[in-house]
Amino acid sequence: MATTTTAPTLKYSDLDGEHSFALMAECTSIGRSPDQDLVLKEAFVSRRHALITRQDGKFEVVDQNSSHGTFLNGQRVQRVTLKPGDCLQFGSLNAASFRFLLPSGVPESSSGLASGLLSALSVFAPTDKNIPQPAREIEKLNFLLNAARQLNAGGAITDIFHALLQLSLQLTGVERGFVFLLEGEEMRLALGLRSDGSTVEEDSSVSRRAMQKAIESDSKFFLSDTLADDSASGWASVVANSIRSIYCIPLRKHISPAEPNRLLGMLYLDSQIGAGSLSDIDHRVLDTLANEASTLLHNALLAKTELKARQAADELAVAASIHSGLMSITLPRLDYAELRARSLPCHAIGGDFYDAIVLDDSLCVVIADVSGKGVPASIVAATLQGIIHALLLTGQSLTQIADLVNRFLCTRQVGKYATMVVLRVFPNGCVEYMNCGHIPPLLVTPKGTHYLEEANLIVGIIAEATYTSSQVTLRPGDRILLTTDGITEIENKAGEQIGIEGLAGLAHLPGLDAVIAHLIKVQASAEAQDDWTLLDIQYTGR
């Protein structure tokens, strides 16, 4: 037995046979950090892991709040007095074992130990022949139970990956490990760790071919010794980086017997130091770790998706509230006209809007419909409403308004266009109107109904488009009904659209609420397929 009084760096893979370390000081520090008295280069050993103290002839081992614990005779301990023959392990029950010994012939209670007599810490590398098979299976079971606790302790996806890699590196003894997540059709790196716990980025040495073989076979792919495999020994990444062992395990979640397993990602482990030597038990434990991690990963991804959905719903509610505030119009009261309006978006927010502005000489009314539905359409609708409102207040003509809005949409290339009707009602009953590709305004008089057919191009399609306005004169009691195509395109239970003809047939109903109630009754679908907006202008005269 070789004896040393310096602080050796001991690696589990370097230990063949027995070594000793003299406990000569009152306090001996043990850990992964180079400044420790006994330096252990194992993944689960903390930088400052434990102390062995000597006082009044007694030796005590004290765990320094290490991440993975100190074990005495297979039991995790915090502080305990050592006895001859005790077995110590640092960081894991699967780590190298240190046997505490007293010099032969010295009683355990001898006070001479306090005056500088040596004690020895013996280290041996456990092999299958050192540990009986039943004991080894129990050891692996304990490892697996401890691994399950560590995996389940991680709620966040990153915590799960950390635990999975640390446990896998500890079990296999390889140099590094990676977890990849499937994004679309590509495996993208989520986390990489070395056996010393430091992070590592993916590089060209990772064998993507081995990963692909695992995906194609839908099972674990491993090479304990690439030099012994004729095909793998010719792989570029293996040859260039002298990789000796590779383990690739797909992370899959079993959804149901009727559905195929869902591929979530990949656990990749490799090493250059030598061929792998995992037993059947080790392989089963590694498979179980991957399966447990897959379940936790699947649950974490579901929780993350649910959280994103809740956040999106909250943001949509805020957007709907803001949109509703922007679109809320207090219809003006005039002595020569009465206004009524209703707007029902088919989603939380929509692309229809209307506005009414009283100027010194007239009443200006706008109704518009932006292409599409939902949030994108509502953003453009709110922008256009603000632009048109400002242009009307500054006294721009109807044709100038159409030209400016058209150029704005074309030059900004937002991928949206809009139809709209803008009209001005004067106290004497004269109405100037401009229709840009919208449902024609319906004129309702005591003699009947007819549409004002004059129209222009849609705004937002052709930058060079020109626009003109038209005029009509109202008599007291005449009405103009404006609507969006969400109304005229409603299908009844026979599969026929209401159309502008059907809308004209509803003009006699008493008020817009009655019109809406009738439309809800006759439509085939339980829910509206587009935004509904109605605006009714009745000229009363002075």
Side-chain angles (χ1 to χ4, degrees):
M1 177 183 296
T3 302
T4 177
T5 58
T6 60
T9 297
L10 299 177
K11 290 185 179 180
Y12 176 80
S13 58
D14 296 335
L15 302 178
D16 53 347
E18 294 194 358
H19 300 259
S20 66
F21 181 83
L23 300 175
M24 301 178 64
E26 296 293 326
C27 181
T28 302
S29 58
I30 301 170
R32 202 172 68 244
S33 177
D35 62 356
Q36 299 295 283
D37 295 323
L38 178 59
V39 181
L40 301 178
K41 293 293 186 181
E42 292 195 24
F44 280 71
V45 174
S46 298
R47 292 180 60 82
R48 289 169 176 79
H49 196 104
L51 298 173
I52 295 180
T53 63
R54 184 179 65 176
Q55 186 175 6
D56 298 331
K58 300 289 185 181
F59 286 86
E60 283 188 336
V61 61
V62 182
D63 185 84
Q64 296 199 92
N65 297 319
S66 63
S67 299
H68 301 286
T70 299
F71 299 86
L72 177 71
N73 301 325
Q75 299 295 319
R76 186 166 182 168
V77 295
Q78 188 63 36
R79 186 185 191 107
V80 69
T81 300
L82 295 174
K83 298 179 180 179
D86 280 344
C87 179
L88 284 169
Q89 290 165 295
F90 301 98
S92 168
L93 287 171
N94 212 36
S97 299
F98 294 77
R99 194 161 311 275
F100 174 70
L101 300 175
L102 290 175
S104 57
V106 178
E108 180 184 348
S109 60
S110 171
S111 61
L113 289 174
S115 20
L117 291 180
L118 296 180
S119 67
L121 197 62
S122 237
V123 186
F124 66 93
T127 62
D128 286 342
K129 66 180 181 179
N130 296 122
I131 304 177
Q133 189 64 21
R136 185 168 180 79
E137 292 183 359
I138 293 174
E139 178 182 305
K140 293 299 181 183
L141 179 60
N142 287 333
F143 173 87
L144 187 57
L145 293 173
N146 181 55
R149 285 193 295 269
Q150 292 187 49
L151 283 172
N152 282 279
I157 293 178
T158 303
D159 294 337
I160 295 171
F161 291 163
H162 263 285
L164 174 61
L165 286 176
Q166 288 178 335
L167 292 164
S168 300
L169 290 170
Q170 179 186 355
L171 178 67
T172 59
V174 299
E175 292 179 308
R176 61 180 190 169
F178 301 90
V179 175
F180 294 86
L181 273 182
L182 182 64
E183 295 182 7
E185 296 183 357
E186 292 187 19
M187 285 289 181
R188 298 192 180 275
L189 178 65
L191 181 65
L193 289 181
R194 297 189 187 278
S195 58
D196 62 3
S198 61
T199 57
V200 57
E201 298 296 329
E202 180 191 7
D203 55 34
S204 59
S205 63
V206 172
S207 177
R208 286 277 178 170
R209 186 177 298 187
M211 293 171 59
Q212 188 59 37
K213 283 186 173 292
I215 294 174
E216 292 173 354
S217 64
D218 195 21
S219 62
K220 177 174 62 182
F221 175 82
F222 67 94
L223 292 171
S224 298
D225 188 356
T226 57
L227 297 181
D229 188 287
D230 294 337
S231 60
S233 60
W235 294 355
S237 60
V238 170
V239 174
N241 299 283
S242 303
I243 297 175
R244 287 293 303 276
S245 57
I246 302 175
Y247 300 89
C248 293
I249 304 179
L251 301 177
R252 293 185 177 272
K253 174 58 182 172
H254 181 70
I255 307 298
S256 70
E259 299 180 62
N261 293 344
R262 177 188 170 192
L263 180 62
L264 305 175
M266 180 73 65
L267 171 62
Y268 175 94
L269 309 166
D270 71 9
S271 184
Q272 295 174 315
I273 59 176
S277 58
L278 296 188
S279 65
D280 290 341
I281 296 176
D282 294 332
H283 277 289
R284 290 199 295 269
V285 172
L286 188 59
D287 291 342
T288 304
L289 281 178
N291 290 336
E292 181 71 13
S294 298
T295 300
L296 294 174
L297 174 59
H298 180 257
N299 293 339
L301 290 173
L302 288 178
K304 186 176 181 180
T305 301
E306 183 180 351
L307 176 61
K308 286 184 177 180
R310 287 201 303 268
Q311 291 173 339
D314 292 343
E315 291 175 359
L316 182 59
V318 173
S321 176
I322 295 173
H323 185 267
S324 177
L326 291 172
M327 297 300 176
S328 61
I329 304 298
T330 301
L331 296 175
R333 294 179 178 273
L334 301 98
D335 58 358
Y336 61 88
E338 293 180 0
L339 298 178
R340 298 178 182 84
R342 289 292 304 275
S343 186
L344 302 174
C346 65
H347 298 304
I349 48 181
D352 289 3
F353 70 88
Y354 64 88
D355 203 352
I357 304 168
V358 178
L359 301 179
D360 292 340
D361 63 342
S362 61
L363 166 68
C364 297
V365 177
V366 182
I367 188 170
D369 182 4
V370 175
S371 61
K373 304 177 185 67
V375 175
S378 71
I379 293 173
V380 177
T383 303
L384 291 187
Q385 187 208 36
I387 292 174
I388 294 171
H389 189 98
L391 292 174
L392 286 170
L393 288 177
T394 57
Q396 300 292 323
S397 69
L398 302 190
T399 55
Q400 286 175 321
I401 290 172
D403 180 64
L404 291 171
V405 170
N406 179 61
R407 283 194 284 167
F408 172 81
L409 289 176
C410 290
T411 56
R412 293 304 175 93
Q413 298 181 340
V414 295
K416 294 289 181 184
Y417 58 86
T419 65
M420 65 180 185
V421 172
V422 186
L423 55 81
R424 297 180 68 182
V425 181
F426 294 88
N428 63 2
C430 179
V431 177
E432 180 188 9
Y433 68 92
M434 179 187 61
N435 182 357
C436 302
H438 201 78
I439 301 296
L442 177 64
L443 177 61
V444 183
T445 71
K447 296 181 180 180
T449 61
H450 71 274
Y451 284 97
L452 305 178
E453 300 290 349
E454 292 80 6
N456 299 271
L457 290 174
I458 294 171
V459 292
I461 297 293
I462 300 175
E464 297 78 16
T466 58
Y467 298 89
T468 60
S469 63
S470 303
Q471 292 186 348
V472 67
T473 300
L474 302 179
R475 295 180 180 275
D478 288 351
R479 296 161 51 210
I480 294 180
L481 183 62
L482 301 173
T483 183
T484 56
D485 61 8
I487 298 289
T488 57
E489 292 177 0
I490 293 174
E491 290 188 358
N492 60 24
K493 293 179 173 58
E496 301 170 341
Q497 288 190 350
I498 289 178
I500 58 176
E501 296 82 4
L503 178 63
L506 303 177
H508 67 281
L509 293 176
L512 299 185
D513 287 341
V515 174
I516 295 292
H518 178 80
L519 294 173
I520 292 174
K521 181 178 179 180
V522 301
Q523 72 171 342
S525 174
E527 297 181 355
Q529 303 303 303
D530 200 354
D531 303 329
W532 292 2
T533 301
L534 288 162
L535 182 60
D536 188 7
I537 308 161
Q538 184 171 15
Y539 177 69
T540 59
R542 288 286 183 181

